[in-house]
Amino acid sequence: MTRRPLVAGNWKMNGLRGSLAEIKAMDAAYDDALRGRAELIVCPPATLIALARDIAAGGGIGLGGQDCHAAPSGAHTGDISAEMLKDAGASYVIVGHSERRSDHGETDADVQAKAAAALRAGLTPIICVGETRAEREAGEALSVVGAQIDGSLPADAPRHIVVAYEPVWAIGTGLTPTVDDVAEMHAFARERIEARLGGGKSADIRILYGGSVKPSNARELMSVPNVDGALVGGASLSAKDFIGIANAYR
Ligand code: PGA
């Protein structure tokens, strides 16, 4: 098994130029020992990617976008293409985050088109899936996530794509699923990814856990079988907390 753990920070709609100091501090703390153990990226607002690239140019912490349009360019006021993110210095892009799905009505088909756009542009998509609280309480968590995997992953996706399981009810709430529930979902997700893509690709695809990951719970969550890293929201705004989470792999 060759999956290199990935710890990805999602700044969401937070961060001004002054916040670049946090990326600088993250990059400085991402030393050789940690690099040997895990890959670290941060996904700041698109306005900061090119500036962050100048800080993190030394092959240290990587950069990603938080969304992209499916088209490479065109009359889509306010949108940003995967090619633009790549040009600004990103190597990843988050697609299908639950906040995009709920705030902007993105469907699985939209997410799949965005993931394909990312691959077209040479970016690695981080494709997000996850059930709501009502769906979990109704016993539908696995079926909902399974359907999202079927609908959101391009059928010909390569083995370097990343999938993030983020239960909607755990995002920004301080709540996390039990270790057993995470283990069940990640094992199920890997099987479902294999059913979708075939060719043994799922053995190489990293499946991140996201939702209220903190320095205090990172080690426990990251040691669950089939958890290959974390997608971190709130705690990624602070270099101290983000590195504290990544240190689970040190
Ligand atoms: P959180 O967000 O870590 O603040 O819960 C996770 C996410 O939305 O990616």
Side-chain angles (χ1 to χ4, degrees):
M1 213 158 55
T2 57
R3 298 191 300 267
R4 184 166 192 237
L6 172 65
V7 179
N10 171 14
W11 278 17
K12 311 191 179 186
M13 198 171 71
N14 299 292
L16 302 174
R17 279 184 293 172
S19 322
L20 293 166
E22 295 300 318
I23 295 180
K24 196 169 186 146
M26 289 171 191
D27 194 56
Y30 186 38
D31 57 18
D32 287 347
L34 190 50
R35 269 186 225 191
R37 300 266 179 186
E39 183 178 355
L40 241 64
I41 69 163
V42 61
C43 304
T47 47
L48 296 181
I49 291 175
L51 293 164
R53 177 202 40 201
D54 294 338
I55 290 170
I61 192 163
L63 296 167
Q66 300 175 9
D67 174 52
C68 65
H69 195 279
S73 63
H76 303 289
T77 302
D79 281 314
I80 295 174
S81 72
E83 281 77 1
M84 291 168 177
L85 294 171
K86 171 92 176 168
D87 183 57
S91 46
Y92 286 84
V93 61
I94 298 167
V95 294
H97 189 280
S98 68
E99 288 151 16
R100 298 292 314 174
R101 291 177 185 263
S102 65
D103 293 2
H104 299 273
E106 291 187 9
T107 64
D108 287 338
D110 294 329
V111 176
Q112 185 181 149
K114 289 173 180 221
L119 292 164
R120 176 193 67 219
L123 296 178
T124 297
I126 300 174
I127 303 169
C128 301
V129 297
E131 84 285 354
T132 63
R133 177 190 294 280
E135 288 161 346
R136 177 156 287 271
E137 285 172 355
E140 294 166 358
L142 296 180
S143 63
V144 165
V145 168
Q148 288 175 334
I149 288 170
D150 292 349
S152 305
L153 273 58
D156 59 351
R159 52 185 77 232
H160 70 267
I161 65 162
V162 177
V163 173
Y165 168 59
E166 297 204 304
V168 177
W169 52 272
I171 295 176
T173 59
L175 303 172
T176 52
T178 65
V179 163
D180 286 349
D181 284 345
V182 174
E184 178 188 42
M185 181 61 83
H186 279 241
F188 167 81
R190 196 171 306 284
E191 279 173 23
R192 194 66 169 245
I193 292 166
E194 186 58 36
R196 169 80 179 146
L197 302 182
K201 289 180 190 171
S202 70
D204 290 335
I205 290 177
R206 293 174 290 182
I207 306 176
L208 312 184
Y209 168 78
S212 296
V213 179
K214 297 173 285 213
S216 57
N217 63 17
R219 192 179 289 268
E220 183 179 40
L221 288 164
M222 298 307 102
S223 56
V224 174
N226 285 303
V227 173
D228 306 310
L231 182 53
V232 184
S236 73
L237 293 168
S238 135
K240 184 168 171 282
D241 287 346
F242 190 54
I243 293 295
I245 290 167
N247 279 342
Y249 287 107
R250 192 180 281 278

